[in-house]
Amino acid sequence: MKKLSGILILTIFLGLSSCSSVGNLNPLSLLTGNNWVLNSMLGKALDPAKFAGGLPFLNFQEGGKLAGFAGCNNFNGKFNLEGTSLKLDPGAMTRKACEGDGEKDFTSALSQVANFKVNKNKLTLLDGAAKELMSFIPQAKP
């Protein structure tokens, strides 16, 4: 019985230790260091035909800078991160004429982002009510 209670105490201790180490992760470090390529919108698979120039991506940089590609045009803006609360501002965008609604839908969804989560190499942007707006995966490294 003592052996069983010792194992139980050790298991609880290890479980709590691992939870606290995850809680101590810096949210900024979860976002930076990748080009995050769009994987889904509004919980649905993407139609690549909606993005004439290629799939959109986001690049979070130090100092709250945000760069990316919206499917036709590039942008440089900023982001504000407080805990898991996230606000995105694409800022200045090039003005190429593009076919399809993909870019408009993408930039509209960016303006609705309120928070995020990162799980197993997947970034999910949420609207604050746990509704998934978009998900991204890291760009494959050559």
Side-chain angles (χ1 to χ4, degrees), residues 5 10 34 39 51 66 76 84 102 107 116 121 124:
S5 64
L10 179 62
N34 284 313
N39 188 51
F51 302 99
L66 177 68
N76 285 296
T84 59
T107 55
F116 76 99
N121 290 325
T124 305

Side-chain angles (χ1 to χ4, degrees), residues 9 11 36 41 45 49 54 83 102 104 115 119 124-125 127-128 130-131 136:
I9 290 171
T11 304
W36 291 100
M41 284 188 67
K104 180 178 69 80
N115 55 349
N119 294 347
T124 305
L125 300 180
D127 71 351
K131 177 183 169 193
F136 295 80

Side-chain angles (χ1 to χ4, degrees), residues 54-118:
L55 293 179
F57 66 84
L58 299 175
N59 186 295
F60 296 88
Q61 302 167 356
E62 296 293 327
K65 294 180 183 176
L66 177 68
F69 176 68
C72 178
N73 289 286
N74 296 309
F75 60 86
N76 285 296
K78 58 187 176 182
F79 69 95
N80 185 18
L81 176 65
E82 292 179 17
T84 59
S85 176
L86 180 65
K87 296 290 181 195
L88 304 177
D89 176 7
M93 186 176 287
T94 58
R95 297 183 156 274
K96 291 187 241 174
C98 309
E99 292 184 26
D101 292 335
E103 183 168 84
K104 180 178 69 80
D105 295 344
F106 177 76
T107 55
S108 174
L110 281 181
S111 70
Q112 298 174 48
V113 172
N115 55 349
F116 76 99
K117 63 182 178 180
V118 178

